[in-house]
Amino acid sequence: MKNPIAERITDFLKNYPPFSSLTYQSLLEIAKACHVLYLEKNQTLFKINDTTHAFFYVVASGAIGLSVTSDADDILIDKCDEGDILGLRPFFAKNNYLMTAKAREESIVYAIPIENFKPFVAANSEVLNFLLESFASNTRNPYDKHHKGKLVSENVIYNDQSSEIQYYQPIKYTSNPITASPTDIVKFVAQTMASSKIGSMIIHENNKPIGIVTDKDLRSKIATGLFSIDVTIDKIMSSPVITVADNLSIAEAQIMMLKHNVSHLCVTLDGTNDSEITGIITEHDIVVAQANNPGVLLKQSKRAQKSADLKEIREKLTDLIQHSLDKNVPISHITSIIGEINLAITKRAIELAIDKMDAPPPAQFAWMNMGSQGRKEQLLLTDQDNAIVFEDVPEEKYDAVKQYFLELAEKVTRTLNKVGYEFCPAQMMANNPLWCKSVTDWQQQFKGWINAPGEKGILMCTIFFDYDFVYGNEDLVDAISHTIHEETHDNQLFFAYLGADALKNPPPLGFFRQFLVESDGEHKDTFDLKGRALMPLIDAARILSLSKGIKNVANTISRYSKLAELEPQNAPVYEACADAFAELLKFRTEEGLKNESDGRYLNLSELSKLDKVKLKNDFQPINDIQEVIKNRFQLTYFT
């Protein structure tokens, strides 16, 4: 008598090792003893310290996450998909499970009795070798060339102290992925995904990504009858797709997925959705194995309940920065990761402050970080620079609405102060009525700075023209950006003033190549790393980016990268400036961590001869970029 369920299980198992090494009849016998388990999302299959089961498991559909616990958090180690094996521990060890297995979505799992399977293991060396290699090499499939020996499995004891995670190693991803057009029929796309054994497909127009469809979309939208299998794929795709550049590190990829709540990232030539597709990154490409990694800190920031929680996270950041520097991680990677976590801390501080207000916000608003925070270059704990923009409201409501946001800003800035970000001595914070305005008032403010750029206006340009959206309605910030680019376009007077300001600090070497140090005051005989070296490079990147109409890029290294792309003839100068800035920022960060300061002033007597040579070499690009500014805007050092 036929057993259709057992036959269906057999037909599935024969496609995956080690079952593919067995005869159909042997598989059918195993399948008859199988239990079929249906797991709801977040339902647990087994937990850490549970007594081992009499079964091992094969994922038939869905996804099972394997996690460990550290500091009361569940840390995802791996995700098992269709055909993956888990729960092998009872074969080789008698102690309890060392991981938790939990469904990440609705899943079907085949539970295979170990006692029923053991005879086939003993009789088939290929099956035995597979299980031994899988258990010993920390993979769910030792024959998988992409994952062999790379994954942490349930036989590994989790240890915060001994674990060494390569946060910033470049992530490996699938290049030249299979794609589909928006007019392709769902049925044929699904057939392609099945035959190619892939769980997702990017939808493109002219090889530029416009969306993505995953096997989850097929289950939730097609299998449920929500859409016909004969509709075009654009009806069920998710859009827009999150795009990244090809030099992404593991930590950056993980943060992007957490930030946008997605499980796939599309790699494009320049990291935007307006360039050609080059690859796809999935959750399987990311391994998380340590509680203080950037992704987990980001997660902790999102669920912090008080300022003390946020302060603890910020203190962990200091350890992460030091650890990264010790491992010679590129400073550009460090600033990217720390910038995102700083942003998450600020965002959570705003959410907590809103909860403490007597009423919800009376109008749409946006919180902006300014200065070094706006450029995502704040590695050390320095002062706050922030602002609020709220939507235009009727004149009779303006004062009340502004007062609400001033009170909100007071709570936020106090929380950030408790976390460790000092109040700005110049009061350039959102709780100052000058920096809490409607979008129209902000537009008029920027027009004033741009079209009547006196000394004060230029000072404001160096702070308020480097901004980053943090929380609220981003359209309000975009409206300000649009005004800035409209008003600065071909504005010779503005660029003459801004250019002259960018030249006020020439390369910091004397005639005989000696360092120009502070001649008096508290920091006498020290070198002002920020004022004399970093700021000239920051100022130059700002004016040149504004003059080229570059939008939504505030980070200094990113600005130089974009300029090099737009002006190949000057690319060597821009690339040298980016490298010099990175080196100087590293000097400042190391100095700040060593002395628990902002790292601005260097004691040259404590530097090695090699470090002094490095510093002097970093000053040459300052001279070169200032020559570019002088020639472009027809300036001299004495303008």
Side-chain angles (χ1 to χ4, degrees), residues 256-312:
M256 288 293 287
M257 289 184 181
L258 286 168
K259 183 178 179 181
H260 297 284
N261 193 28
V262 296
S263 56
H264 298 78
L265 301 173
C266 176
V267 183
T268 62
L269 277 177
D270 68 2
T272 72
N273 57 10
D274 196 35
S275 64
E276 291 187 2
I277 299 164
T278 60
I280 186 169
I281 299 172
T282 71
E283 275 188 332
H284 259 322
D285 298 319
I286 299 173
V287 178
V288 180
Q290 195 159 303
N292 63 345
N293 73 67
V296 174
L297 292 177
L298 192 71
K299 184 172 119 180
Q300 290 173 341
S301 299
K302 290 180 177 181
R303 63 187 189 205
Q305 295 301 312
K306 53 186 183 297
S307 57
D309 297 337
L310 294 173
K311 181 178 176 64
E312 184 180 339

Side-chain angles (χ1 to χ4, degrees), residues 300-334:
Q300 290 173 341
S301 299
K302 290 180 177 181
R303 63 187 189 205
Q305 295 301 312
K306 53 186 183 297
S307 57
D309 297 337
L310 294 173
K311 181 178 176 64
E312 184 180 339
I313 293 163
R314 187 56 186 80
E315 288 170 349
K316 287 182 181 178
L317 272 190
T318 302
D319 294 335
L320 177 58
I321 294 167
Q322 183 65 69
H323 175 80
S324 302
L325 290 172
D326 292 343
K327 295 296 180 183
N328 293 317
V329 174
I331 200 76
S332 58
H333 286 303
I334 303 175

Side-chain angles (χ1 to χ4, degrees), residues 95-111:
N95 52 332
N96 298 344
Y97 289 116
L98 297 177
M99 280 191 176
T100 294
K102 183 187 293 186
R104 290 173 60 82
E105 55 190 74
E106 290 184 10
S107 304
I108 297 175
V109 174
Y110 296 147

